[in-house]
Amino acid sequence: MNVVSYRPRPEELSYTFGGRPAVGRITPGTVLEIYTEDCFGGRVRGPEDLPSQVCEFPYLNPVTGPFHVEGAEPGDTIALHFVSIEPARDWAVSTTFPHFGALTTTHTTAMLHPPLDEVVWMYDVDVEKGVVRYHARRGDFSVEMPLDPMHGTVGVAPAAFESRMTITPDAHGGNMDTPELRAGVTLYLGVNVEGGLFSVGDGHCRQGHGEVCGTAVEAAMNTVVAVELVKGVATPWPRLEDDDHLMATGSARPLEDAYRISQHDLVTWTASLTGLDTLDAYQLVSQGGEAPVGNVVDTNYTMVAKLPKAYLGRPEAYESAHARLRSLGERYLSSR
Amino acid sequence: MNVVSYRPRPEELSYTFGGRPAVGRITPGTVLEIYTEDCFGGRVRGPEDLPSQVCEFPYLNPVTGPFHVEGAEPGDTIALHFVSIEPARDWAVSTTFPHFGALTTTHTTAMLHPPLDEVVWMYDVDVEKGVVRYHARRGDFSVEMPLDPMHGTVGVAPAAFESRMTITPDAHGGNMDTPELRAGVTLYLGVNVEGGLFSVGDGHCRQGHGEVCGTAVEAAMNTVVAVELVKGVATPWPRLEDDDHLMATGSARPLEDAYRISQHDLVTWTASLTGLDTLDAYQLVSQGGEAPVGNVVDTNYTMVAKLPKAYLGRPEAYESAHARLRSLGERYLSSR
Amino acid sequence: MNVVSYRPRPEELSYTFGGRPAVGRITPGTVLEIYTEDCFGGRVRGPEDLPSQVCEFPYLNPVTGPFHVEGAEPGDTIALHFVSIEPARDWAVSTTFPHFGALTTTHTTAMLHPPLDEVVWMYDVDVEKGVVRYHARRGDFSVEMPLDPMHGTVGVAPAAFESRMTITPDAHGGNMDTPELRAGVTLYLGVNVEGGLFSVGDGHCRQGHGEVCGTAVEAAMNTVVAVELVKGVATPWPRLEDDDHLMATGSARPLEDAYRISQHDLVTWTASLTGLDTLDAYQLVSQGGEAPVGNVVDTNYTMVAKLPKAYLGRPEAYESAHARLRSLGERYLSSR
Amino acid sequence: MNVVSYRPRPEELSYTFGGRPAVGRITPGTVLEIYTEDCFGGRVRGPEDLPSQVCEFPYLNPVTGPFHVEGAEPGDTIALHFVSIEPARDWAVSTTFPHFGALTTTHTTAMLHPPLDEVVWMYDVDVEKGVVRYHARRGDFSVEMPLDPMHGTVGVAPAAFESRMTITPDAHGGNMDTPELRAGVTLYLGVNVEGGLFSVGDGHCRQGHGEVCGTAVEAAMNTVVAVELVKGVATPWPRLEDDDHLMATGSARPLEDAYRISQHDLVTWTASLTGLDTLDAYQLVSQGGEAPVGNVVDTNYTMVAKLPKAYLGRPEAYESAHARLRSLGERYLSSR
């Protein structure tokens, strides 16, 4: 088993997809162990650390990478199977941020209101017990919620010579902020440039649907990813697969366009996997599909379209990359 | 126990919320047994029955009602607990419809494309087994999906002297098309006119998130609703409660506004139920909330914001109307 | 010449399109003289008259009417030519209003901000000089702008048994708030119910594009409308015609859908008037068309699509109703 | 007078803002003569040249540049005064393009319709007469429209290490596609990187509002730009100034957000130029402002907010850069 470990030094962190040389080269079939910093670069460590003061634009939402996948060319697909995602600290943090979030005016939903208060919430992270603990800032209310680690930001270098802030989700992946991107899931990303150049960041201990206040329970993570390359198979928008579901994503504004992209991709993917007529697939997805909301706060919004594989007779997608990577991940975990 | 049964004659069906006299008067505390016709008025009965031919605008999406609730005045809330929702036939139907649906041009997302093909899918409904069976129209693919009956359309007369097509969801309820409106759930609707004037229709045997093709697995239903009136408590947008969750809804365009309304209402409702500061409630909902998509096809789109009551210490909402109505429903069912 | 005058008593004002009996019957070919109250019902008369205090929901944006047009049936079109629109007072008023306007949170773009300050601006109206005078509330800045009277709200009873608040623009007309609806213009409205039932209100001494703060320079008006009926010609969305332009409107959210509706209608109208192929008309409108913004603040947003008739060889629309009504209006004015 | 001429070789054209070294260095005060290719790279030269066949993604919408402005640093503003914009050929071209335009499904407004027909329209350009001539493709209809040359795409390198396709308009400028960007206008762009790195392209002989079919009357141009640098004055979104108007732009989706950005910037700019209170400025812009639509087809939509300077007492903006550059341009023209 080929295992590679990488822990970025602070100055090695990336703030874009595209526009940067690779920090390492990965052979398909490799298990990659990485450390990812939280979206604040680890600088918000207590209630007094207001992100607008301790963080400096554009040094936000750092990602670990990019990694060059040997042999990856435009038209191929990189498969990233998340073997494990483990909080690196016993605390995590969430905040409001001036003019960021779904229930506040923003840079583009521009209004004449002053910003909402900037507030920091510190969470206890208890991996043993499998919970995070929320504490109200005013009053002594406190409650535990299940730990459900995920990565908000995973992507490759975009097409068309673009370089995009890590905060933006689009066809190349990026800051999709979907809770579906948890351990056990394989993410498929279409390759736009030689080597693909994928990066991973923005770990969340858990996240509500839409990330309504603008940030999740943000945490540094120790993450293990099993990497494969599917040659000659293109992927128009990021897709996910777990043991029981196929998932398509869409990232755009307004939110209905994110929904349309994800549902359109799920419908046409379903048709191509099963041989169903497009309208028959449209009907089946209409009645059997779910639509978990990703984010409604970033520069593009993200929706996921999700269908049980059982409804389709468990078709093989991406030459069974998910099954193979899952098995590789299990071998890795049992050898650890 | 006060039980009232009502089965509308075809000419008694309503096509608006508001603008119609009540078909009956209901005392709070009553259990109401009703029959609701499907969204096609029962006229689509086989693959050759194209809705654009067998249905006549505006006689679409009929509802049963309206019912006048004794004592209901503007500023009160009507609580409707869905005791049971049972398909009235052993078949159900779904269709595409010209220029209706999320992946087609529409009346308002106006484009120069001709409509997609109009196609009818007939479903088998097996209540015993708890499934519906989908059949592809082209090819012999077939699959069972769980039966999960719900009502797409429930509402009261709108404010401001309005009368609205049943197809439109808004602050008065209407065609929200959320799968969350299933048996076991209590729906809270703010009263705008004397008597409230609620109606129920548009049964679905099941529905995917967003109802992407424009229609669900449409069926006539035999439905039992337990009715209460909460005096002096206003409800800005329809809310739902089940044993474990509080839910707020929002209906608007674009879809992010439906999301904003529902999340805003859940945040402020949470704050008022618990005494939490608004930003503390914002934070808690951000990490603990779900956002099930209702519809992304109707004249307004609908989103639901959903939070486990456990996170809030199981507060009492609406003077415990849900618990009381649930108990009334159980007595009704055990007496049947 | 058949001239009818009507000045509503306060209790005769309407607050909806649809759901009300006619206040009078009009024979096609009639010149109708009416008085319209301002959007505040005349209750905001000075800087201390905050609309949220002196006005009572839903008694906002009153219209004069509805008028039954003899012989009008669904599928016909009512042509309303605005002969003159004259401010009835020497003052007018504009205000902010809590949670209303394009640069503030609203009922549907729901956020956690408190409302902006509610402020009243009084304007001097100088008909002789043809100006209105703006006065800043803080400081002594003052400036004159051209008087350009228009009606924000004109419409007919909606289809599908609906009754809609006057504040909402849609396919039936309503609160389109476009500065294009000035004297010299003919408005075409599709008839949905017997008699059509048109109403007119919401005079503005002038208005910027989009009515960004939520209100224009609001004024009571003495208005003269010449009325015709075009039998057997349907109108999908309100259209306007002046001596030199054809105009189509669209009202929806998001704003791009209002744009799409208006452009789609202008393209297909152009094709039907000229015999041009649809894509040829699409191209011509793309290069020659204007798109004046109506409102970006009401419950639906409104866009106008506008094309010089000269580009089309000055085709006859609506059986030359505009030319006939313009001539009728001139005769009326010269006889006055 | 410092005059610099630059005509790019084909391989020197740029397809992004950002991510490219400068093609030349410009001293503030310089008059720059450039040639810009059309959006198809000059490859669509007749009705058979379908852009999807003769053009290759991402080699679309080339720009001339980038130019490094000596001394420009983040926080400064580059002022580009368009002295003249002259069509370089006696023909121009417009087309539909698969899944691009406002009245068709797109990459993000994803639907199940096949694309509209791809059609090319060739225009005659008559600079003497000041017209372009449209010819219908089906039938022999033909009409002249005024020549009104403009640039669709002008911008600087974006912030945050980004590199963006030239087709995208955003805070850095880019493909705003507003007809307001014609000769006589000064464009202000905020500097994000050392030297600013501005580029110019996408000439249009004329364009309707919104560019509804996706392309304008596309042409190569010989363009003269007078360049200045305003030190220490930041510009949040591109602004324009002509002899009589101030203009702010916004580029975003949905279209109401583009409107909000542009109006918000015009309101706050107005307040800062005049000392008016923000709400007083909001009111003044509401009644006196125009809102010309830029594009409703690109990856972000663009709106312009426009106010007569006369309403503000003709305040000095950007240290009177417009007046100085206009005068420089006149000297250049008279010396030519």
Side-chain angles (χ1 to χ4, degrees), chain D residues 71-144:
Chain D
E73 295 168 304
D76 299 341
T77 290
I78 291 175
L80 300 178
H81 179 73
F82 287 81
V83 178
S84 62
I85 305 175
E86 294 173 358
R89 302 169 182 136
D90 63 359
W91 57 268
V93 60
S94 188
T95 79
T96 49
F97 191 88
H99 295 304
F100 192 72
L103 300 187
T104 181
T105 70
T106 66
H107 180 59
T108 53
T109 306
M111 296 178 174
L112 296 172
H113 300 277
L116 300 178
D117 283 354
E118 191 173 359
V119 180
V120 173
W121 289 265
M122 301 303 298
Y123 283 78
D124 310 319
V125 177
D126 187 335
V127 173
E128 290 287 298
K129 199 172 167 187
V131 298
V132 295
R133 177 166 283 277
Y134 160 94
H135 305 275
R137 283 297 306 277
R138 294 168 195 165
D140 56 4
F141 181 90
S142 170
V143 69
E144 287 180 352

Side-chain angles (χ1 to χ4, degrees), chain A residues 28-53:
Chain A
T30 295
V31 175
L32 177 64
E33 301 169 328
I34 53 176
Y35 172 87
T36 64
E37 201 29 278
D38 70 31
C39 71
F40 303 111
R43 296 183 181 193
V44 180
R45 307 181 76 88
E48 306 309 312
D49 295 334
L50 300 189
S52 69
Q53 295 177 2

Side-chain angles (χ1 to χ4, degrees), chain B residues 212-236:
Chain B
V212 59
C213 82
T215 57
V217 183
E218 307 287 341
M221 294 286 176
N222 289 304
T223 289
V224 179
V225 184
V227 182
E228 261 209 24
L229 178 64
V230 186
K231 290 294 296 178
V233 178
T235 298

Side-chain angles (χ1 to χ4, degrees), chain A residues 133-144:
Chain A
R133 178 167 282 278
Y134 160 95
H135 304 276
R137 284 295 307 276
R138 294 168 195 166
D140 57 4
F141 181 88
S142 169
V143 69
E144 287 180 351

Side-chain angles (χ1 to χ4, degrees), chain A residues 236 239 263-273 278 281, chain D residues 112:
Chain A
R239 290 172 178 165
Q263 296 284 326
H264 180 275
D265 189 43
L266 183 59
V267 167
T268 52
W269 189 19
T270 290
S272 78
L273 285 175
T278 303
Chain D
L112 296 172

Side-chain angles (χ1 to χ4, degrees), chain B residues 42-126:
Chain B
R43 294 181 183 195
V44 180
R45 308 181 75 90
E48 306 308 314
D49 295 334
L50 300 188
S52 70
Q53 295 177 2
V54 301
C55 298
E56 184 193 359
F57 178 82
Y59 301 97
L60 286 167
N61 205 36
V63 290
T64 296
F67 298 96
H68 180 113
V69 178
E70 300 283 0
E73 295 169 304
D76 298 341
T77 291
I78 290 175
L80 301 178
H81 179 74
F82 287 80
V83 178
S84 62
I85 305 175
E86 294 173 358
R89 301 168 182 138
D90 63 358
W91 57 269
V93 60
S94 188
T95 80
T96 49
F97 191 89
H99 294 304
F100 192 71
L103 301 186
T104 180
T105 71
T106 66
H107 179 59
T108 53
T109 307
M111 297 177 173
L112 295 172
H113 300 277
L116 301 178
D117 284 352
E118 191 173 359
V119 179
V120 174
W121 289 265
M122 302 303 299
Y123 283 79
D124 310 319
V125 178
D126 187 335

